[in-house]
Amino acid sequence: MNNGIIEELEQDVRNKFAALKRDTAGFNLRNTSRGLQHFNGIEHTDNTISDPETWLKYTCDKIQKSQAMRAASRGVRDSIQQLLQKQAEALVKQWEATNHAFSVRLREYMDAKHKLETHLARVLQEIFDTEKSLEMLKKCLLDKDAPLKVAETRMMMRSDRPGMENCKDKAQHKLVYEIHEIKWSTDDLKAKIQETEDALQHLLRTKMSLEEDLAVKNNSIFIDRERCMGLRNSYSMAPRAHCC
């Protein structure tokens, strides 16, 4: 008879511990957890075999039966108490270990957030500097237009010189060289502008990526620190048993 009640109690404890492990594992799931998948229609499946009242009554019946047995066997009662105490201590230990894991993870999140913010600040400064450089390059390109017009107009005017006066003199050579030099400089400026615009677009994409990553980190910190730890800190985890 004693062995029978012990087996029933131990099975009940094992079931509760298994249920606790599953609930704890489910509680600790995050959007980034491994092994997540869809289970279509799971919300329509009900394989439960008890409700809170029958669950509590089941446990209470076991305890009351064990109390009757303890009157006849002191050794059995002590064994059950030790087992229950061990499980309660294991639960508290797991609770504390989970809290510690949360704390470690939050420190990692905060460190990653700080690095992202530092890098983002540098990228923002680079964007500002690149935009200023782009403005200067475009102004330089615009400033080349007037001298080019002057040189080309001078050459056009000289091309109308009459007869032998239309001489390919040193001034003519200098005008040709000046026009070529301005066009070469203009081409270099255009290439530099394109290169700078490409660099700016890359910086803007980097900025967007950093901001998105930072938003994800902030959300993760909020979930772990404010919601999960806030909820856990609102409960006092202490070994206790209650039966009515």
Side-chain angles (χ1 to χ4, degrees):
M1 183 67 72
N2 289 346
N3 289 337
I5 190 60
I6 289 174
E7 289 177 1
E8 291 177 14
L9 287 168
E10 288 179 343
Q11 183 60 51
D12 197 20
V13 171
R14 284 194 295 269
N15 289 345
K16 284 180 171 52
F17 187 65
L20 175 65
K21 287 180 64 177
R22 288 179 176 274
D23 284 349
T24 300
F27 177 81
N28 289 328
L29 284 178
R30 300 291 177 269
N31 289 343
T32 55
S33 297
R34 294 182 178 179
L36 296 179
Q37 57 184 304
H38 287 292
F39 294 93
N40 269 337
I42 189 66
E43 69 277 13
H44 303 300
T45 301
D46 186 1
N47 59 357
T48 58
I49 61 173
S50 66
D51 56 32
E53 290 182 0
T54 57
W55 175 86
L56 182 60
K57 185 178 183 304
Y58 179 82
T59 301
C60 287
D61 286 346
K62 289 290 185 295
I63 294 175
Q64 290 170 359
K65 189 175 180 180
S66 71
Q67 288 173 340
M69 291 297 175
R70 282 190 314 221
S73 176
R74 182 79 179 183
V76 172
R77 184 188 66 188
D78 292 343
S79 176
I80 293 172
Q81 288 178 338
Q82 291 174 8
L83 179 61
L84 291 174
Q85 181 64 28
K86 181 180 179 181
Q87 295 300 326
E89 289 173 357
L91 178 59
V92 173
K93 185 177 180 180
Q94 180 59 47
W95 176 271
E96 293 172 348
T98 300
N99 284 348
H100 176 71
F102 267 112
S103 298
V104 171
R105 188 56 174 160
L106 281 170
R107 286 196 296 271
E108 293 172 350
Y109 276 138
M110 294 302 295
D111 182 59
K113 176 187 175 184
H114 175 70
K115 290 178 180 178
L116 284 171
E117 289 173 337
T118 300
H119 191 44
L120 179 59
R122 291 173 181 170
V123 170
L124 289 173
Q125 183 61 48
E126 289 182 21
I127 289 174
F128 176 79
D129 295 341
T130 303
E131 287 176 339
K132 296 296 290 184
S133 297
L134 190 58
E135 290 179 7
M136 293 176 59
L137 287 169
K138 288 181 177 180
K139 184 178 183 304
C140 287
L141 181 62
L142 185 63
D143 290 344
K144 294 289 183 182
D145 190 57
L148 181 60
K149 287 180 180 178
V150 170
E152 289 178 342
T153 302
R154 283 172 175 171
M155 196 164 184
M156 177 59 68
M157 293 173 65
R158 295 190 97 235
S159 67
D160 287 337
R161 290 174 297 173
M164 290 300 291
E165 295 303 317
N166 197 356
C167 177
K168 198 171 189 178
D169 53 14
K170 188 174 182 180
Q172 188 78 1
H173 285 293
K174 289 295 184 181
L175 278 173
V176 171
Y177 178 77
E178 182 180 358
I179 291 172
H180 284 317
E181 187 174 12
I182 292 174
K183 287 185 175 180
W184 290 335
S185 177
T186 298
D187 290 340
D188 288 343
L189 283 171
K190 288 179 179 178
K192 191 62 178 177
I193 287 172
Q194 184 61 54
E195 179 184 343
T196 305
E197 287 178 340
D198 291 342
L200 179 59
Q201 290 303 313
H202 176 71
L203 286 170
L204 291 172
R205 288 192 296 270
T206 301
K207 168 181 170 289
M208 182 180 298
S209 176
L210 288 171
E211 289 174 340
E212 290 175 353
D213 201 6
L214 188 58
V216 171
K217 291 292 184 294
N218 284 330
N219 186 58
S220 297
I221 291 170
F222 172 76
I223 290 173
D224 279 4
R225 184 174 61 191
E226 304 301 329
R227 300 183 67 179
C228 293
M229 287 304 295
L231 182 62
R232 293 176 70 83
N233 291 333
S234 66
Y235 289 93
S236 175
M237 175 55 66
R240 63 178 182 266
H242 176 71
C243 181
C244 59

